[in-house]
Amino acid sequence: MPFPRFIFFSSKQRSQEALNLIRRSGFSKKIQSRNYAKSSNHANGKTDIRPPMNVETPPASRSWGTYVIPAAGILGFAGIATFIRYNDERRVTLKGQGNNQCMNNVRGPIIGGPFTLVDTENHTVTERNLLGNWVLLYFGYTSSPDVGPEQIQMMAKTINILESRYNLKGLPVFVTLDPERDNPSHLRAYLKEFDSRIVGLTGPVSAIRQIAQEYRAYFKKVEEDGDDYLVESSHNMYLMNPNMEVVRCFGVEYNAEELSEAIVKELKRTST
Amino acid sequence: MATEAYAARNPAEVHTDVLSNARQACYKARDAFYACVEKESDKKQTEIASKGLLYPAECKASREEFVKHCRTSWVKHFDALYCKNKSLKRLLDDKDSRKGV
């Protein structure tokens, strides 16, 4: 990218020099040398039939014109190129400063937002109801063949470890990405088998879509066969502080021990 | 308002085939089927399961149990997972002996 600009600058300099030279020669009326130069150019091809007297003034103005316009054009082009480059450099994101989900420092986009869902008792739950608690939020669905139950099991175990070992109270929340099949009573029956403390949230499809978008949770129906389908999703667990801000997110590679250790570390970090 | 309408519209149906009992039965049938496939892996693979999995005729009974106890989407998911694991294992185990298989 800098290379073409260098060419522009050097050619601009050369054109400036040529322009100065021509101006000087034109105004100092050294027509003789110019004529010789002109005749040497024409020596290979046509013969020069212009008499020496007539070429005093017209070549002066014509040469000035023919050299200013390309110089101005090159100048203008270089100016535009400089402006575009300056604009690009102003907008650039330096390498290594992108937004990364599930990395230690969530300095990227603000994840989270308001939502209005229905819990297993058919009560409306918004994010305001969850304020004041450390929340472990999981997006899943009940018809998951293997990963879903494992993650919920792990979530329950983590909450147990936190309470028994570290005396910390966390609130596990399960939001279903399959609201068409997971109605509140089904959710209640399902979650009861894992832990009674898990809050199950469902709702109309639009509300689920809204919260999934706010929390950047990806989900997609696959293997669709009428009413029987799987939901492919990013099995992430979000840890939120009492202000409902997402502090960290965890992937499937965490087990209950690692998860509880990470949560404790996060709590200690914010309280100190 | 909206939540009452939502509750009225959705029947309070509980899909029992994903609850714990049915799930455990499904897992058991699945394990039995795959154990059979592993055991009879030297026999001729004549039957077709889903997702490109083949199995010998000896395992037909366990296959039917498996399909009966689990949802179709789960069956397909487990079959795909099994095939993937098998090809990965084959890739890792005899990398030196068989090239390009």
Side-chain angles (χ1 to χ4, degrees):
Chain A
M1 192 51 207
F3 189 55
R5 276 182 56 207
F6 174 73
I7 292 183
F8 283 140
F9 275 131
S10 56
S11 66
K12 211 169 59 152
Q13 281 174 359
R14 267 189 262 124
S15 65
Q16 292 277 29
E17 287 173 327
L19 181 62
N20 290 334
L21 185 66
I22 296 308
R23 274 198 189 142
R24 261 182 276 137
S25 62
F27 284 134
S28 64
K29 300 206 192 330
K30 286 210 180 95
I31 309 300
Q32 287 263 346
S33 57
R34 289 201 69 247
N35 261 353
Y36 284 151
K38 267 182 106 58
S39 55
S40 67
N41 277 341
H42 290 210
N44 341 346
K46 327 170 260 192
T47 52
D48 188 53
I49 46 168
R50 255 179 303 211
M53 255 94 72
N54 283 2
V55 296
E56 269 203 29
T57 30
S61 58
R62 194 186 64 203
S63 67
W64 194 85
T66 52
Y67 278 103
V68 156
I69 290 175
I74 291 172
L75 234 159
F77 193 80
I80 291 174
T82 323
F83 174 69
I84 290 174
R85 173 128 177 97
Y86 166 66
N87 212 20
D88 280 344
E89 273 175 351
R90 203 158 48 92
R91 285 193 306 142
V92 80
T93 328
L94 290 168
K95 208 155 61 155
Q97 275 185 12
N99 315 324
N100 243 332
Q101 292 265 42
C102 280
M103 285 276 279
N104 264 334
N105 332 329
V106 181
R107 301 261 177 275
I110 301 177
I111 306 176
F115 55 85
T116 310
L117 297 168
V118 177
D119 73 353
T120 51
E121 309 295 329
N122 274 323
H123 299 145
T124 313
V125 172
T126 67
E127 76 283 0
R128 280 191 293 277
N129 297 83
L130 299 176
L131 280 172
N133 292 316
W134 281 88
V135 174
L136 198 57
L137 182 68
Y138 177 64
F139 288 95
Y141 67 113
T142 61
S143 320
S144 169
D146 38 18
V147 184
E150 280 172 18
Q151 290 290 297
I152 303 181
Q153 194 89 284
M154 204 249 303
M155 195 160 73
K157 219 162 98 169
T158 310
I159 296 291
N160 278 334
I161 292 178
L162 283 179
E163 210 170 274
S164 57
R165 208 184 298 172
Y166 300 102
N167 211 14
L168 292 166
K169 196 151 172 341
L171 183 67
V173 176
F174 172 85
V175 177
T176 177
L177 294 172
D178 187 14
E180 290 158 9
R181 285 188 303 188
D182 296 345
N183 47 50
S185 39
H186 174 66
L187 256 187
R188 186 172 53 225
Y190 182 75
L191 291 173
K192 201 169 53 167
E193 293 170 351
F194 293 98
D195 197 310
S196 52
R197 284 172 292 191
I198 303 180
V199 176
L201 293 180
T202 176
V205 180
S206 51
I208 295 287
R209 203 169 285 159
Q210 182 202 2
I211 182 179
Q213 196 172 39
E214 286 167 358
Y215 284 85
R216 307 290 195 274
Y218 155 74
F219 68 105
K220 188 171 111 120
K221 273 193 206 173
V222 292
E223 302 271 5
E224 194 154 354
D225 190 10
D227 225 1
D228 183 18
Y229 52 85
L230 300 175
V231 176
E232 190 177 305
S233 72
S234 54
H235 301 274
N236 283 342
M237 244 187 249
Y238 298 88
L239 175 68
M240 303 200 284
N241 64 13
N243 288 333
M244 277 295 113
E245 293 161 1
V246 175
V247 174
R248 239 193 109 163
C249 68
F250 306 97
V252 286
E253 62 272 7
Y254 280 82
N255 66 11
E257 293 283 340
E258 296 165 1
L259 196 57
S260 44
E261 273 174 46
I263 293 178
V264 167
K265 200 159 61 165
E266 216 51 48
L267 254 80
K268 285 205 168 68
R269 201 159 64 97
T270 48
S271 55
T272 52
Chain B
M1 359 136 247
T3 50
E4 277 90 39
Y6 168 71
R9 217 185 15 232
N10 289 25
E13 185 197 333
V14 177
H15 313 275
T16 47
D17 59 345
V18 298
L19 294 182
S20 183
N21 293 340
R23 206 180 267 270
Q24 295 304 321
C26 168
Y27 289 165
K28 223 163 65 165
R30 172 199 66 177
D31 295 338
F33 171 65
Y34 286 128
C36 172
V37 172
E38 284 289 315
K39 202 168 62 153
E40 320 273 358
S41 56
D42 46 344
K43 307 279 197 328
K44 194 154 161 347
Q45 321 242 293
T46 48
E47 311 294 330
I48 302 177
S50 63
K51 297 282 175 179
L53 177 65
L54 301 173
Y55 63 96
E58 282 83 358
C59 295
K60 218 163 168 188
S62 52
R63 175 75 185 175
E64 273 161 28
E65 281 292 308
F66 178 32
V67 171
K68 192 170 74 166
H69 281 115
C70 300
R71 279 199 188 170
T72 323
S73 53
W74 291 19
V75 169
K76 284 195 260 188
H77 172 89
F78 289 132
D79 279 344
L81 204 66
Y82 182 75
C83 285
K84 197 168 68 160
N85 284 341
K86 200 162 74 160
S87 62
L88 196 67
K89 206 159 49 156
R90 215 164 58 168
L91 199 69
L92 293 173
D93 281 344
D94 33 34
K95 218 168 77 149
D96 306 318
S97 59
R98 272 188 300 182
K99 286 196 181 154
V101 174

